[in-house]
């Protein structure tokens, strides 16, 4: 009984997507009841074909937040095939920020080439979006012309331009059509290659490392700086 909506247009209009989010949310609310143990999950598929930059406003992700709705944003080429697709689940949206959708598949520049062994099969996914995303995203990009061999040894690395290092090794697979899917929480340049490279461990720096004591019913704010950005950490107590 889930509500599914397709929004196909040449100009990706945030207002139309927002309307679709509102309709799906309304339908899902109607389907909640004694007959359903969980709320239905609605899907919204928005497709655009222009090469120009597309920006999805904060209001779309604010409306998506905490909802059982899956939003997919796809760039379609002249052959009616997807160059790339963004997918967000409403219950993973944490911030209402704008999203620039454009993704370019480029050759490695010299600064990146020196970090991996000689390998002709590689490319860079260069995101127009910088930094934080509205939430965790599944991103599928077509790299069929980049000679990557799907033999179980395809890797995605986050390239940190500030440090000049490859971080966050993520094993990935490529389907028969040359589509690769990665999971990210922030945007920058990502390197795809068949070469396996050693990467540094995630560093967590606690801003206030001293011991904290809590009275029953009281609260305290914990903060940490995580490198690379986008990694998640969990807090535990020795007296749960």
């Amino acid at each position: 009984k889930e509500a599914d909506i397709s929004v196909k247009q040449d100009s990706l209009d945030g207002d139309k997507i927002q309307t679709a989010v509102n309709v799906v949310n309304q339908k899902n609310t109607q389907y909640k009841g004694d007959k359903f143990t969980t709320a239905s999950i609605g899907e919204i598929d928005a497709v655009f074909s222009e090469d120009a930059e597309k920006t999805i406003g904060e209001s779309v992700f604010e409306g998506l937040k905490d909802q059982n709705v899956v939003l997919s944003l796809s760039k379609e080429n002249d052959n009616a095939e997807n160059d790339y697709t963004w997918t967000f689940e409403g219950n993973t949206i944490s911030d209402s920020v704008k999203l620039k959708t454009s993704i370019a598949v480029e050759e490695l520049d010299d600064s990146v080439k020196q970090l991996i062994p000689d390998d002709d099969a590689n490319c860079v996914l260069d995101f127009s979006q910088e930094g934080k995303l509205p939430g965790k995203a599944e991103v599928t990009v077509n790299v069929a012309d980049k000679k990557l061999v799907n033999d179980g040894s395809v890797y995605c690395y986050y390239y940190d331009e500030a440090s000049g290092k490859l971080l966050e090794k993520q094993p990935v697979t490529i389907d028969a059509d040359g589509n690769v899917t990665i999971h990210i929480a922030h945007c920058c340049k990502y390197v795809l290659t068949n070469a396996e490279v050693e990467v540094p461990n995630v560093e967590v720096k606690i801003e206030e490392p001293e011991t904290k004591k809590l009275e029953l019913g009281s609260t305290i704010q914990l903060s940490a700086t995580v490198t690379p950005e986008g990694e998640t950490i969990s807090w535990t107590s020795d007296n749960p």
Side-chain angles (χ1 to χ4, degrees), residues 92-158:
T92 67
I93 299 298
S94 56
D95 293 284
S96 300
V97 299
K98 290 182 180 179
L99 173 69
K100 295 180 179 180
T101 60
S102 181
I103 306 171
V105 181
E106 301 177 341
E107 303 295 328
L108 273 62
D109 58 30
D110 291 339
S111 62
V112 182
K113 281 183 178 179
Q114 64 183 356
L115 300 175
I116 61 175
D118 291 338
D119 189 350
D120 291 334
N122 51 53
C123 62
V124 171
L125 304 182
D126 193 359
F127 290 77
S128 179
Q129 179 82 357
E130 295 182 359
K132 184 182 294 186
L133 287 169
K136 291 182 179 180
E138 179 181 279
V139 181
T140 299
V141 185
N142 187 273
V143 293
D145 62 340
K146 298 305 177 183
K147 303 178 183 178
L148 287 158
V149 180
N150 192 22
D151 60 358
S153 61
V154 183
Y155 301 97
C156 176
Y157 301 90
Y158 155 44

Side-chain angles (χ1 to χ4, degrees), residues 152-186:
S153 61
V154 183
Y155 301 97
C156 176
Y157 301 90
Y158 155 44
Y159 175 59
D160 182 18
E161 294 185 83
S163 66
K165 295 180 180 179
L166 294 177
L167 307 172
E168 290 185 27
K169 181 172 68 177
Q170 180 182 154
V172 296
T173 58
I174 300 175
D175 68 18
D177 296 319
N179 297 306
V180 63
T181 298
I182 64 174
H183 297 86
I184 59 176
H186 62 103

